[in-house]
Structures are given as structure tokens and as C-alpha cells.
Amino acid sequence: MKPIYQFFAVFWLFFLPFTVISGDNNKNLIFKGCASQKSPDPTGAFSQNLNTLFTSLLSQSAQRSFASTTAGTDNTTAVTGVFQCRGDLPAAQCYDCVSKIPKLVSKLCGGGGDDGNVVVAARVQLSGCYIRYEISGFRQTSGTEMLFRVCGKKQSGDPGFAGKRDTAFGAAENGVKTGGDGGGFYAGQYESVYVLGQCEGSLGNSDCGECVKDGFEKAKSECGDSISGQVYLHKCFVSYSYYSHGVPNISPLSDGEKRQHTQRTIALAVGGVAVLGFVIVCLLVLKSAMKKKSKYDSY
């Protein structure tokens, strides 16, 4: 029986870790913005300040959804940066999302100090959070400058689509003005349209409303009659989706967790069946080998 115990020990060690599939979509890359300019960093001061900035932002992401800070006191090497998480992410998921970005900055933008240069400004936007930073004195960008947009397929077939969409947009514009915890945030629906808007925490209520309004205007002009769209401005972002059969039950934590749970359940079920089948085959082989051994022992 001892060989059987050894077999099971090896089996559990090497096969169980592969039976769970992650479905977390909060860390999907949406876009990256990298300044073309790189700053010489012969002393490594800029790189050190950037690392300090990332460490500070990551630490704060465990308690809040937005923070802005500066690392360094020398105007030539000081770095200012912010992080923000989507307003419906709990602290643990916010931290997990933000923790993925520092390495992505170097990977996607280069100039991580290894070549003696550092990119003077960058932004990496994931589906659940973003980090942006800039060297002191870098050119300021308008809060309503459009950085990125995604439009879905055209035409819903619903003659009332445009009216429903515009009403939902208006609700979001008003909703973000009363949002809290690191910037205005609103997620809701009007009939068949689900809409979301969020501002960077540095914006006041009035400015937030204006930024989101501008975002929806850009969504209408850029996406036309698309049934879904996402528009990212420098200081806010908006998204909307039309559901012909009505908006599904979307939890405050988004459907990502639901999909993750479902995928894990399916993976475990499939993995369990595979485990059972593998065990049965191995036991049959072992049984056959033992029979042959007994046969040979009888001679």
C-alpha cells in the first residue's frame, strides 16, 4: 500500500494547483499613455523618487480609492502621481489592481532607469484602476482632453434608444456630483441603458459634473448610435451599455466577481471529473500490475 500513498502525494502536489481558473477582469489593460520625452537620470534620483511614489500610492490603495502624492523635493527630479480605483471596488480589490501597474509602466513605456533614462510622464489604465505620474514642471493637460475611447456595435433597433441613452447620461451627470470617497462616482440605469461615470478625486462636485457631461457629449459624437461605449478623459471617464432585453442584475461589485465565481466552479467541477477519471485509470493499471506480479511470483 505504501506506493499508493506515494502516488497520491505526488498527484495532489502537482495537479490541484491547475484546477482553478481566475476570472478577475479588473486588471485588464485598457490603454497606456507614455510621454515621448525621457529624462537623463545619471544619479538615479528620478528612478528612486518614482519607486517611492509607487510604493506610497500602493500603500494608500489599501484604504481608499484615490490618492495624490509627490515624491522628492528637488524640482528637477520630483515626481507627482495619482492612483484611482473604480468606485465600486472594495479596498482589497483596489490594492490588488493598483499593485499590477508599477511593473507595467516600465514594461509598456520603457525608460525604467536601466538605460539611464526615465519617461517623464505616463499613465496606465486598467479596467478597475489607473496610475499616472509626471515629472515636476511637465506640461499640464486639460481635464477634459480625451485620451481613449471604445465604441460597441451600431444601432440597437430600438427607436427610443437615443432618448433612453440621453436620459441615462443626464442621471449620471447629476449622480457624480453627490459621489463620495475619492471623487464622484455613479453607476445606475434608465430603462434599458446602464451607465457609469467617475471623476478623479481632485475634482469638486461642479467640475466633476461638467467633466462627465463633456465625456458623454464625446461619447455621442464619437460613438454615434453604438449601443455601448467607453470614453476616458484626463480627469474622468464614462461608459454606457444598452440591453435590448433589459439591464441584467448588475451588482455594485460588477459582474467580474460573478464570472470569476462561475469560472472557478466550472473549473473545479471539470478538474474533479478529471481527477476521478485519472485516479480510476491509475488504480486499474496498478491492479493489473499487481496481478501480473502475483502470477510471476507463483512460478
Side-chain angles (χ1 to χ4, degrees):
M1 296 296 290
K2 185 176 181 181
I4 296 180
Y5 292 143
Q6 291 175 340
F7 162 76
F8 276 110
V10 173
F11 176 80
W12 288 115
L13 177 62
F14 288 101
F15 285 85
L16 276 186
F18 299 97
T19 61
V20 177
I21 300 174
S22 174
D24 186 359
N25 70 337
N26 293 321
K27 293 167 285 188
N28 290 341
L29 176 66
I30 302 298
F31 70 89
K32 52 113 175 153
C34 311
S36 57
Q37 180 184 355
K38 295 182 180 180
S39 176
D41 189 30
T43 65
F46 192 173
S47 297
Q48 180 59 48
N49 287 339
L50 187 57
N51 289 333
T52 300
L53 178 80
F54 286 155
T55 299
S56 175
L57 294 177
L58 178 59
S59 174
Q60 294 181 75
S61 71
Q63 288 89 33
R64 62 192 68 183
S65 62
F66 167 81
S68 173
T69 190
T70 298
T73 57
D74 187 333
N75 288 336
T76 61
T77 59
V79 186
T80 298
V82 305
F83 86 87
Q84 182 153 29
C85 290
R86 206 174 60 230
D88 57 355
L89 288 189
Q93 290 188 25
C94 179
Y95 177 89
D96 189 38
C97 184
V98 173
S99 69
K100 308 302 178 184
I101 297 181
K103 288 184 178 180
L104 285 176
V105 170
S106 178
K107 179 180 179 181
L108 297 173
C109 295
D114 294 336
D115 58 355
N117 297 284
V118 178
V119 174
V120 298
R123 172 170 174 152
V124 172
Q125 174 80 53
L126 306 186
S127 51
C129 65
Y130 69 85
I131 283 181
R132 65 174 176 84
Y133 77 84
E134 56 195 38
I135 190 172
S136 178
F138 187 74
R139 178 183 65 86
Q140 295 300 303
T141 302
S142 167
T144 56
E145 179 179 334
M146 188 169 71
L147 305 178
F148 190 77
R149 58 92 169 159
V150 180
C151 301
K153 66 179 182 179
K154 303 291 184 179
Q155 197 49 262
S156 69
D158 179 354
F161 163 69
K164 296 172 184 177
R165 179 199 60 192
D166 293 351
T167 300
F169 286 179
E173 291 166 19
N174 292 325
V176 294
K177 294 178 181 180
T178 59
D181 188 24
F185 175 79
Y186 175 88
Q189 67 184 79
Y190 176 76
E191 295 191 10
S192 301
V193 180
Y194 181 80
V195 67
L196 183 150
Q198 182 168 18
C199 296
E200 188 173 285
S202 59
L203 291 186
N205 289 350
S206 178
D207 289 339
C208 178
E210 289 300 314
C211 187
V212 166
K213 180 180 180 180
D214 195 72
F216 284 128
E217 289 298 322
K218 285 182 170 62
K220 290 166 65 175
S221 64
E222 293 287 331
C223 295
D225 59 355
S226 296
I227 63 173
S228 65
Q230 300 175 42
V231 173
Y232 293 83
L233 307 185
H234 183 57
K235 289 292 185 77
C236 66
F237 77 91
V238 299
S239 69
Y240 71 95
S241 298
Y242 172 86
Y243 298 88
S244 58
H245 300 294
V247 178
N249 182 24
I250 301 177
S251 72
L253 298 181
S254 83
D255 284 345
E257 286 192 327
K258 294 180 181 179
R259 286 193 293 272
Q260 183 178 15
H261 177 74
T262 300
Q263 289 172 325
R264 283 180 174 174
T265 301
I266 293 173
L268 287 172
V270 173
V273 172
V275 168
L276 181 60
F278 190 75
V279 170
I280 291 174
V281 170
C282 290
L283 288 177
L284 288 175
V285 171
L286 183 61
K287 181 179 179 181
S288 176
M290 292 178 69
K291 283 184 178 180
K292 289 181 180 180
K293 184 177 185 302
S294 299
K295 181 180 178 180
Y296 295 147
D297 289 345
S298 65
Y299 285 99

